[in-house]
Amino acid sequence: MSSAVSPLAPKHVPDMPVIAGIRLATAEAGIRYKNRTDVLLAVMDKGTAVAGVFTRSKCPSAPVEWCRAKLKGGKARALVVNSGNANAFTGKTGRASTALTAKIAAKAVGCSEGEIFLASTGVIGEPLDATKFDGVLGRLAETAEPGDYLAAAKAIMTTDTFPKVATATVKLGKANVTINGMAKGAGMIAPDMATMLSFIFTDAPIAPAALQALLKSGVEDTFNAVTIDGDTSTSDTLLAFATGAAAEHGAPKISRASDPRLKAFVKAFNQVLANLAEQVARDGEGARKLVEITVEGAKTKASARKIAMSIANSPLVKTAIAGEDANWGRVVMAVGKAGEPADRDKLSISFNGIRVAKSGARDPDYDEAQVSEAMKAPEIAIKVSLGLGKGRDRVMTCDLTKEYVAINGDYRS
């Protein structure tokens, strides 16, 4: 982890309320880091529903494969997360490590191994010594308490410079229900139907199938609309847990994601996902600028997304932003290479509300001094208008600095 907190870190960290049916504990297991917590245990009450989305990488980690297989059961009693070692590209040894971890956790919590969910983050290719969890998880199961989500978020950090948490409270039926979330991620970020590592907890009584539908839909315009460096992790895991405890206070039991009573909940749920996703962009490795890219006037929303991602993942665009240079030529390049419908002579571009290019050429009112001053801001908004249709989309990213190279140049050191 970096010792310096990102200058883009949120100024306010929310108070994270207790959620009935969820208990948390962290410890130092010595996975890779010294003198810091590196394992999280979340213990859930019986009957807790679980849903998940994962990386589409063809080289997934052993914990991803474990979770995919166990998700079919729809119920969870515990979540074990470790940082420092991704347990990815570890072959049979990796699969044995997940099985042993689940066995230790199941014994500690008092449940079946099929109700244990796992996630690992850190170095790829190094064997994970799961025996380090022996004793540790038992102690954590005994000491776990409702509450400290910030400590939990710190335990799962790798190159993150700050813990990422978000919360929302919303009415469901006669009850107030809470949604708490945490995430980790700063590099190797280009989610594909998932996120880096993120965990959502709620006391809403939502059935597994409905929760799965909400999660799959919710990531599309949140975590899947964020990129740091264009690289999708082997370990991307987003799990949601619903204890159902709010049913005791008048919340209706929900079996379908289309239930109209869920309208306010879905909005709040997606806001938590969006908040966490933006925090990931704010903590991009070496980032000094938060960048929002909006593409409008595309043929379709999907086309707008591809063009926005082409811009967001361009090293030339990102380094220009790091240098506070409104180089619209690099944006034009990224639009052109995206492989989507575009008309050079209809293209308009603006930086932080200042139009720099219009109808395929430099804007006649372009003022270099004005634009240069705008590029000094810590948050940069790039808008591209294609003039071809009604398709629109937005993605978040950050700039690319020398520190990104430094962080990743000696990541395994």
Side-chain angles (χ1 to χ4, degrees):
M1 290 188 300
S2 172
S3 58
V5 176
S6 168
L8 303 172
K11 304 302 181 187
H12 171 71
V13 178
D15 293 326
M16 302 292 286
V18 166
I19 291 180
I22 303 291
R23 296 182 294 121
L24 306 169
T26 63
E28 296 179 24
I31 302 299
R32 179 167 181 251
Y33 305 114
K34 294 181 180 180
N35 303 316
R36 58 150 288 189
T37 55
D38 58 2
V39 60
L40 160 67
L41 175 67
V43 182
M44 278 78 79
D45 282 356
K46 291 182 180 179
T48 296
V50 61
V53 288
F54 308 94
T55 181
R56 284 186 176 174
S57 169
K58 300 301 182 183
C59 299
S61 69
V64 165
E65 291 184 322
W66 175 274
C67 288
R68 279 178 174 153
K70 305 309 175 189
L71 202 62
K72 298 173 184 176
K75 299 296 181 181
R77 288 296 313 284
L79 166 70
V80 180
V81 189
N82 75 269
S83 58
N85 187 314
N87 195 11
F89 201 65
T90 46
K92 293 181 179 178
T93 300
R95 291 189 286 275
S97 292
T98 57
L100 179 56
T101 304
K103 183 178 180 180
I104 295 170
K107 182 179 179 181
V109 174
C111 68
S112 72
E113 294 169 23
E115 296 175 296
I116 302 295
F117 287 80
L118 308 172
S120 299
T121 181
V123 174
I124 294 171
E126 295 289 336
L128 173 63
D129 182 3
T131 62
K132 291 186 176 182
F133 296 126
D134 201 5
V136 173
L137 294 182
R139 186 172 72 253
L140 292 181
E142 293 176 358
T143 59
E145 296 180 350
D148 202 344
Y149 286 86
L150 198 60
K154 287 179 180 178
I156 66 175
M157 291 164 57
T158 51
T159 58
D160 305 63
T161 71
F162 62 88
K164 301 164 184 65
V165 293
T167 186
T169 300
V170 66
K171 202 82 171 178
L172 181 59
K174 297 179 180 180
N176 285 324
V177 298
T178 301
I179 305 164
N180 284 351
M182 69 180 82
K184 68 80 52 185
M188 199 184 291
I189 307 296
D192 188 2
M193 286 310 296
T195 178
M196 297 42 69
L197 291 187
S198 186
F199 310 105
I200 310 297
F201 304 91
T202 181
D203 53 355
I206 302 177
L211 190 62
Q212 182 66 39
L214 293 180
L215 195 63
K216 186 175 181 180
S217 174
V219 297
E220 197 55 45
D221 289 329
T222 57
F223 281 116
N224 279 359
V226 171
T227 180
I228 300 301
D229 45 26
D231 288 329
T232 297
S233 171
T234 60
S235 306
D236 285 353
T237 298
L238 170 55
L239 294 169
F241 303 93
T243 69
E248 297 180 5
H249 304 287
K253 295 183 178 180
I254 304 295
S255 59
R256 296 177 296 106
S258 59
D259 192 315
R261 294 172 295 181
L262 269 183
K263 185 176 181 180
F265 178 89
V266 171
K267 183 178 180 180
F269 185 82
N270 290 344
Q271 284 175 344
V272 169
L273 296 180
N275 187 317
L276 293 171
E278 181 175 312
Q279 288 186 57
V280 169
R282 287 181 177 276
D283 204 19
E285 290 172 340
R288 293 294 178 267
K289 307 278 189 183
L290 178 69
V291 185
E292 178 185 65
I293 299 168
T294 302
V295 174
E296 61 184 20
K299 287 282 189 179
T300 63
K301 176 182 165 95
S303 181
R305 169 67 62 89
K306 289 181 180 179
I307 293 171
M309 279 294 188
S310 179
I311 298 167
N313 283 324
S314 166
L316 290 177
V317 172
K318 292 161 75 71
T319 49
I321 293 169
E324 300 182 342
D325 178 15
N327 191 335
W328 67 85
R330 293 181 174 182
V331 176
V332 172
M333 172 278 299
V335 172
K337 74 170 185 174
E340 292 297 312
D343 185 331
R344 178 198 61 203
D345 297 331
K346 293 182 178 180
L347 193 62
S348 296
I349 301 167
S350 66
F351 288 85
N352 275 5
I354 302 172
R355 194 170 60 193
V356 296
K358 178 184 177 184
S359 302
R362 187 173 71 178
D363 192 287
D365 297 325
Y366 177 78
D367 183 331
E368 179 72 29
Q370 181 189 28
V371 179
S372 295
E373 184 62 29
M375 294 301 291
K376 293 178 182 179
E379 299 185 12
I380 304 297
I382 299 175
K383 179 181 284 188
V384 174
S385 299
L386 299 173
L388 299 178
K390 296 182 179 180
R392 185 182 187 277
D393 209 347
R394 160 192 170 276
V395 303
M396 302 293 293
T397 188
C398 61
D399 57 346
L400 179 59
T401 67
K402 293 178 181 179
E403 190 177 348
Y404 178 90
V405 178
I407 290 169
N408 287 284
D410 63 0
Y411 182 66
R412 294 200 307 140
S413 300

